[in-house]
């Protein structure tokens, strides 16, 4: 067993690890993806998470993100992604300490690419959260939850804002755990089938009116 798998078993258990491996193997033969759709309503936020580091959080512009990404390519913010995100009107809420970008997440109010020709489409009043990232040197400081709570505070100024919606693949146990700790609750699932490209996306009844994946 590789060191990576041993670490996964230690953190998430044998059953979760087997599911992760089987899921990845299945996708190597045919496209089979299952997404959990999660929601965090404005009234369900633990506002204590927003305490601390106030001046180090904020929305960043495209030029600043380009500069930070050139300094650290591991941030996964290449110019093509940044151009597309800002062209759609998406916003990046981030944590900076001593000039280093330590954590960020993206927030969108309109249709947004998920992956593999899939586009997230969601109900009015909700903001789609995606591409959350914490740099290795900043992990273990609860920045994920803190950033979401602080972003929610900023988004409350948006008229009609109801809460955040997001989706995560069912084999991604670490992300699921992190979202649950913050207060997100699962409202449904999306099943995506296909070959090299997705050809069918099915939403469970629980999330159909709130969130769906459109094949583009």
């Amino acid at each position: 067993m590789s060191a990576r798998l041993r670490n996964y078993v230690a953190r998430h258990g044998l059953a979760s690890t087997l599911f992760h491996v089987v899921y990845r193997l299945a996708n190597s033969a045919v496209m089979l993806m299952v997404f959990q759709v999660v929601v965090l309503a404005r009234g369900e936020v633990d506002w204590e998470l927003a305490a601390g580091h106030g001046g180090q959080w904020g929305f960043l512009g495209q030029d600043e993100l380009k500069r930070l990404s050139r300094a650290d390519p591991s941030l996964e913010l290449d110019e093509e992604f940044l151009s597309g995100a800002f062209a759609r009107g998406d916003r990046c809420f981030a944590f900076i300490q001593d000039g280093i970008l330590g954590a960020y997440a993206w927030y969108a109010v309109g249709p947004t690419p998920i992956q593999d020709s899939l586009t997230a489409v969601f109900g009015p009043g909700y903001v789609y959260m995606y591409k959350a990232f914490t740099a290795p040197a900043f992990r273990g400081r609860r920045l994920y939850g803190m950033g979401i709570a602080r972003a929610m505070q900023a988004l409350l100024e948006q008229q009609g804002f109801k809460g955040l919606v997001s989706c995560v693949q069912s084999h991604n146990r670490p992300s699921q755990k992190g979202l649950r700790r913050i207060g997100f609750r699962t409202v449904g699932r999306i099943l995506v089938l296909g070959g090299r490209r997705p050809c069918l996306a099915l939403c469970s009844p629980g999330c159909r009116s709130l969130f769906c994946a459109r094949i583009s």
Side-chain angles (χ1 to χ4, degrees):
M1 184 184 293
S2 69
R4 184 175 180 181
L5 274 179
R6 285 197 298 270
N7 182 57
Y8 201 97
V9 170
R11 293 183 61 189
H12 308 293
L14 182 59
S16 293
T17 303
L18 289 173
F19 179 83
H20 176 84
V21 172
V22 171
Y23 187 92
R24 296 296 294 269
L25 287 173
N27 271 281
S28 67
V30 63
M31 181 178 290
L32 169 61
M33 296 186 290
V34 181
F35 294 91
Q36 286 191 11
V37 178
V38 296
V39 169
L40 180 63
R42 57 184 294 172
E44 299 171 340
V45 184
D46 179 2
W47 295 114
E48 291 184 4
L49 290 170
H53 307 292
Q56 294 166 303
W57 287 100
F59 288 107
L60 302 184
Q62 186 171 358
D63 291 340
E64 186 172 12
L65 285 168
K66 282 183 179 179
R67 177 181 61 79
L68 291 165
S69 180
R70 291 190 192 106
D72 184 2
S74 70
L75 294 172
E76 302 176 7
L77 295 171
D78 60 72
E79 292 201 17
E80 181 180 1
F81 168 80
L82 290 174
S83 296
F86 278 99
R88 291 190 302 271
D90 299 356
R91 305 172 74 188
C92 179
F93 195 77
F95 175 82
I96 294 182
Q97 186 176 65
D98 300 326
I100 299 172
L101 180 56
Y104 66 78
W106 286 82
Y107 298 88
V109 295
T112 308
I114 302 174
Q115 64 179 77
D116 298 315
S117 305
L118 290 174
T119 299
V121 181
F122 42 95
Y126 285 91
V127 173
Y128 176 55
M129 185 197 76
Y130 71 101
K131 199 173 173 63
F133 175 88
T134 302
F138 290 82
R139 290 171 187 169
R141 296 170 56 177
R142 301 184 74 192
L143 293 179
Y144 190 21
M146 189 184 300
I148 289 174
R150 286 195 166 275
M152 288 278 276
Q153 283 182 326
L155 292 168
L156 286 174
E157 301 173 1
Q158 182 174 306
Q159 187 174 9
F161 174 65
K162 297 178 182 177
L164 299 178
V165 62
S166 190
C167 67
V168 58
Q169 287 205 51
S170 291
H171 74 291
N172 191 344
R173 302 302 195 199
S175 291
Q176 291 173 31
K177 285 183 178 179
L179 290 166
R180 282 197 300 269
R181 279 196 299 268
I182 296 163
F184 279 86
R185 54 188 171 84
T186 300
V187 295
R189 287 172 174 79
I190 295 174
L191 172 66
V192 179
L193 300 171
R196 292 185 178 181
R197 294 169 56 89
C199 61
L200 180 66
L202 301 173
C203 301
S204 68
C207 66
R208 196 169 293 154
S209 63
L210 173 64
F211 185 96
C212 68
R214 185 175 66 200
I215 298 173
S216 57

